[in-house]
Amino acid sequence: MEWTADILGTDFQSCGVDATGPDGVTRHATLIRHRAEQNDPRGAPRRYGAVLFLHGWSDYFFNTELARFWAGQGYDFYALDMHNHGRSLKTDMPGGYVANLTDYDAEINQALGIIRNHTAPSPEGSVTLMGHSTGGLVAALWASRHPESIQFLILDSPWLEMHGSSLVRRAAQAMVAPIAKFRPETVLKLPERGFYFRSISSTAEGEWALDENYRPPLAFPVRAGWLSAVFAGHSQVARGLNLDVPVLVLMSSASANGMVWQESMRRSDAVLDVGVIALRAMALGRSVTLERIDGGLHDVFLSAPAVRKDAYARLARWIKGFMHNDVPAERQEGDI
């Protein structure tokens, strides 16, 4: 492993990850890690474990505030730019494309192996998988295929179902399936909406500096094979994943959809139907907590400062209640 300086600054590093899947194809991903400077004279705080973050579709990891939040909670923070995304983009490959969501498994597995080898958590240290949007769907499906590999799952506006209902998905799936089977990389001509980008990018009306090569304003072209893979993932979620680990789902309390800009898109999810996502979320497993964030954007941790302060407070409360309470207490003098 060769860690090098990352684009995010002095306390971030990245390294390439080449992982070969069961299909024999080697895919390139990029693992990013946060290394907080320890300026506290009392020494390093107790470390509770590590977190691996998965970005959404047509996206990459750039939220340094999120990384520093986790460091402050006592966790080593990592993020994975999955193949055909962000730092892992190759000029000869279609941006954002994947033919099957299980194609991500090998790089996620390898990233977690690196994390376990390169961090020094306490013996009781946990591993948490966190995913946003399509990355949330990928994370939930991965967790269902790898029981006991992680201790906690946190999802930020996960894309668990199509707009409206499963009936809409099934109808769309039937139309896309023949194209996906015979010409999977065919670009589908769908309406282009850049409203979410408008609400977050500092080049538009947001506050976040985004690399438009990694996060294009209108996203990557939607290809038939990719959409079919997402539909298949939605079908699995609809049948139930039976996750046994504690799950936290954070999402906006409202959606704002449409083909023209609405001012409400500054304080709501302009990508997903939060009503149907909430229903799907509650069926993920045995222990699911749902937090609705008033004024939240599609990525609640990119919302306006006051809104994301509320999101972080709710996340911190869940960490304290579930993750820290799950850590065995330090052995006291006189204990057997």
Side-chain angles (χ1 to χ4, degrees):
M1 298 300 303
E2 183 178 352
W3 293 95
T4 59
D6 187 67
I7 58 176
L8 295 179
T10 57
D11 52 348
F12 289 87
Q13 298 173 319
S14 58
C15 68
V17 174
D18 292 313
T20 303
D23 57 1
V25 177
T26 299
R27 300 175 176 89
H28 178 75
T30 307
L31 185 62
I32 303 99
R33 70 179 180 183
H34 175 242
R35 282 293 177 264
E37 294 183 7
Q38 300 297 342
N39 297 318
D40 191 331
R42 296 171 296 179
R46 183 180 180 185
R47 312 309 292 168
Y48 292 98
V51 176
L52 176 63
F53 176 84
L54 305 181
H55 58 77
W57 180 66
S58 195
D59 208 346
Y60 71 109
F61 177 71
F62 60 85
N63 192 341
T64 57
E65 184 178 271
L66 179 64
R68 290 167 182 144
F69 164 83
W70 277 108
Q73 295 292 315
Y75 293 84
D76 295 319
F77 180 87
Y78 294 78
L80 186 68
D81 274 12
M82 295 179 283
H83 73 269
N84 293 343
H85 285 87
R87 300 161 179 81
S88 308
L89 280 169
K90 294 185 176 181
T91 56
D92 60 339
M93 297 296 290
Y97 183 73
V98 67
N100 190 314
L101 297 184
T102 61
D103 288 349
Y104 292 125
D105 282 19
E107 60 210 70
I108 295 172
N109 293 342
Q110 187 157 328
L112 287 171
I114 294 169
I115 289 168
R116 291 186 176 100
N117 288 333
H118 285 78
T119 59
S122 57
E124 68 271 15
S126 64
V127 176
T128 299
L129 188 60
M130 181 177 187
H132 165 61
S133 195
T134 310
L137 173 63
V138 170
L141 293 171
W142 182 92
S144 72
R145 291 190 295 269
H146 299 81
E148 301 182 5
S149 293
I150 59 171
Q151 284 69 56
F152 304 98
L153 179 65
I154 297 174
L155 306 177
D156 172 10
S157 302
W159 190 17
L160 303 178
E161 184 58 277
M162 286 291 290
H163 288 271
S165 70
S166 59
L167 294 177
V168 175
R169 168 176 39 85
R170 290 179 188 136
Q173 194 168 11
M175 291 187 288
V176 170
I179 306 173
K181 182 176 180 179
F182 296 106
R183 292 179 292 144
E185 294 190 21
T186 298
V187 174
L188 303 178
K189 294 182 179 180
L190 300 177
E192 296 180 334
R193 301 167 69 249
F195 303 143
Y196 175 55
F197 183 89
R198 175 176 172 176
S199 69
I200 63 174
S201 174
S202 59
T203 61
E205 299 173 22
E207 65 175 282
W208 301 92
L210 306 178
D211 186 322
E212 295 187 12
N213 294 311
Y214 294 167
R215 209 297 174 198
L218 296 178
F220 295 126
V222 174
R223 299 177 187 273
W226 171 81
L227 190 55
S228 181
V230 170
F231 286 154
H234 290 167
S235 296
Q236 288 179 259
V237 172
R239 292 192 295 269
L241 299 185
N242 298 315
L243 298 175
D244 200 34
V245 298
V247 181
L248 170 64
V249 178
L250 302 111
M251 59 192 303
S252 178
S253 60
S255 293
N257 299 308
M259 296 310 300
V260 296
W261 172 260
Q262 307 167 42
E263 285 301 304
S264 60
M265 291 176 175
R266 301 182 193 277
R267 54 186 183 277
S268 55
D269 191 325
V271 178
L272 299 181
D273 180 338
V274 298
V276 71
I277 299 302
L279 290 174
R280 284 284 180 263
M282 298 311 294
L284 286 173
R286 298 174 59 196
S287 179
V288 180
T289 303
L290 178 64
E291 291 282 1
R292 293 179 180 265
I293 310 300
D294 289 338
L297 296 178
H298 175 49
D299 184 338
V300 298
F301 297 109
L302 301 183
S303 304
V307 176
R308 66 179 187 268
K309 180 180 179 181
D310 177 44
Y312 278 119
R314 292 169 184 270
L315 174 55
R317 181 175 63 185
W318 193 85
I319 291 170
K320 182 178 180 180
F322 277 88
M323 298 173 69
H324 287 181
N325 276 349
D326 194 55
V327 175
E330 296 287 351
R331 185 180 295 276
Q332 302 296 318
E333 184 178 355
D335 286 352
I336 298 174

